[in-house]
Amino acid sequence: MRHFLKETDFTREEIAGVFATAAAMKRDRGRCSSAQPLARQSWGLLFFKKSTRTRVSFQVGVHELGGQPVMLNADELQLSRGESAADTARVLSRYLHGLVLRCYSHSLLEEFAQVGSVPVVNALSDYLHPCQIYTDFFTLAERWSGGNPDRYLESLKGRKIAFLGDTACNMANSFILGGALLGVEVVLAGPEDYEPGGEIRTQLKSDGLAPTWSFTTDPVAAVRGADMVYTDVWVSMGMEAEKAERLRQMQPYQVNTGLMRAAKPEALFMHCLPAHAGEEVAQEVLDSPASIIFDQAENRLHTQKAILAHLAS
Ligand code: CP
């Protein structure tokens, strides 16, 4: 049985397969002949945090793969009244064929995977957001390969990505891990205190991956020569108490038209959404031809369907 808790749970070859499947599922969506690898299965979607894209795309995705999505709000389970995570994992495993879980601590995902007996998918933890990163690299590969799935991974190799703002967040960690796995240079630019920490460095080592990332406090240096510029919200879920200080510290890292000019002329702009226009990104960038944010959002559906199909195979 396989789980998908972090980027490196699949090999490069498996990722190539996932991307090819995602492309085929995108092309064939709605056709009668569409694959139904989750037929007669029920998959739980357990969310401890708010979500629009992940929740809806997984719900639709499980349905389109022939399965039944079972929405589980953490507040409505006995978990919220003290039942242990271990007992919850064991019980849910007796009903469900798989579990998609969004939570705060990554260790909760690991506990569900260890104690339960069905595949667990990370739908975001405070540490990593692997479904988003696979989608983002798939979205870039679609563009950079000229739409040729045989060239998807090759088209990513050697590219430079700049990530600005909260460089200690789960998306930054996921870029560090995903970039090393796929041979993409990742330059992170944020306030000094937000340099990525020891946990992600240890993860790279334990996965046997050479780092392809660097950190700077200079946003222009980070963006110079970049093929794609990325940002995420400055105040992640659970960090609301730090809002005022974060907004002050991260102001120099706002992605605006002036900063985009330092990137390659053909550089793309991406954001995992939700966006806070006027904070981490200017509205004019969100609306610009460089912005592919809604392709990203759509591709969550196709990529996650391919991940689920791979786990079910
Ligand atoms: N990008 C992302 O995970 O969006 P949601 O929080 O809306 O699921």
Side-chain angles (χ1 to χ4, degrees):
M1 185 186 48
R2 301 281 300 275
H3 303 289
F4 183 63
L5 306 188
K6 58 184 190 298
E7 286 69 9
T8 45
D9 283 342
F10 291 172
T11 64
R12 284 186 195 86
E13 291 69 31
E14 287 176 314
I15 295 172
V18 166
F19 284 9
T21 303
M25 287 178 166
K26 185 171 183 174
R27 187 193 59 219
D28 296 340
R29 188 174 181 216
R31 293 196 190 153
C32 296
S33 58
S34 298
Q36 303 264 286
L38 303 189
R40 293 176 298 284
Q41 294 193 6
S42 296
W43 279 64
L45 311 181
L46 175 53
F47 282 65
F48 286 80
K49 290 185 175 194
K50 298 204 185 308
S51 168
T52 298
R53 281 141 289 273
T54 312
R55 183 186 167 101
V56 177
S57 56
F58 265 114
Q59 197 167 0
V60 171
V62 169
H63 169 72
E64 291 187 1
L65 294 175
Q68 152 129 353
V70 179
M71 291 307 307
L72 301 165
N73 185 338
D75 289 343
E76 292 167 2
L77 299 188
Q78 298 288 6
L79 252 178
S80 65
R81 295 181 61 248
E83 185 166 18
S84 72
D87 283 359
T88 305
R90 289 187 187 104
V91 169
L92 293 180
S93 295
R94 299 293 179 108
Y95 307 134
L96 301 168
H97 297 88
L99 185 68
V100 175
L101 175 56
R102 169 170 285 200
C103 57
Y104 290 89
S105 169
H106 194 77
S107 62
L108 186 70
L109 277 157
E110 291 171 334
E111 186 174 2
F112 267 79
Q114 195 181 4
V115 176
S117 52
V118 295
V120 176
V121 175
N122 180 357
L124 179 149
S125 69
D126 284 347
Y127 180 41
L128 295 169
H129 197 358
C131 290
Q132 182 71 56
I133 281 295
Y134 273 35
T135 299
D136 294 342
F137 281 128
F138 171 72
T139 306
L140 289 169
E142 273 185 317
R143 298 237 163 194
W144 291 340
S145 69
N148 178 358
D150 292 339
R151 292 197 58 250
Y152 276 177
L153 293 200
E154 179 196 329
S155 75
L156 297 171
K157 267 196 188 142
R159 297 279 185 168
K160 176 181 174 181
I161 283 171
F163 183 98
L164 286 97
D166 180 1
T167 47
C169 74
N170 49 12
M171 282 303 300
N173 285 339
S174 281
F175 266 114
I176 289 172
L177 213 46
L181 190 59
L182 297 175
V184 178
E185 180 186 0
V186 176
V187 182
L188 304 154
E192 209 167 2
D193 299 346
Y194 288 81
E195 182 164 357
E199 195 177 7
I200 195 66
R201 293 169 198 263
T202 306
Q203 185 73 56
L204 278 177
K205 265 192 202 147
S206 74
D207 287 325
L209 291 170
T212 57
W213 69 281
S214 57
F215 174 79
T216 176
T217 54
D218 181 345
V220 177
V223 165
R224 199 171 291 128
D227 296 286
M228 186 271 281
V229 178
Y230 203 106
T231 191
D232 191 3
V233 290
W234 287 343
V235 186
S236 293
M237 289 176 275
M239 309 272 177
E240 288 76 11
E242 300 171 19
K243 183 171 180 179
E245 181 59 10
R246 282 173 165 259
L247 296 194
R248 189 190 66 73
Q249 282 188 296
M250 292 180 194
Q251 198 57 52
Y253 301 94
Q254 184 193 70
V255 179
N256 50 40
T257 304
L259 193 63
M260 284 299 290
R261 279 199 201 103
K264 283 185 178 167
E266 68 278 18
L268 298 168
F269 170 76
M270 298 178 88
H271 190 311
C272 52
L273 302 179
H276 289 209
E279 291 183 11
E280 75 275 5
V281 58
Q283 186 67 53
E284 63 203 12
V285 172
L286 290 166
D287 296 338
S288 71
S291 171
I292 56 170
I293 55 176
F294 296 113
D295 291 340
Q296 268 180 277
E298 178 193 331
N299 283 339
R300 293 293 301 276
L301 173 65
H302 312 303
T303 312
Q304 289 162 188
K305 282 171 68 180
I307 291 167
L308 293 175
H310 188 74
L311 289 173
S313 66

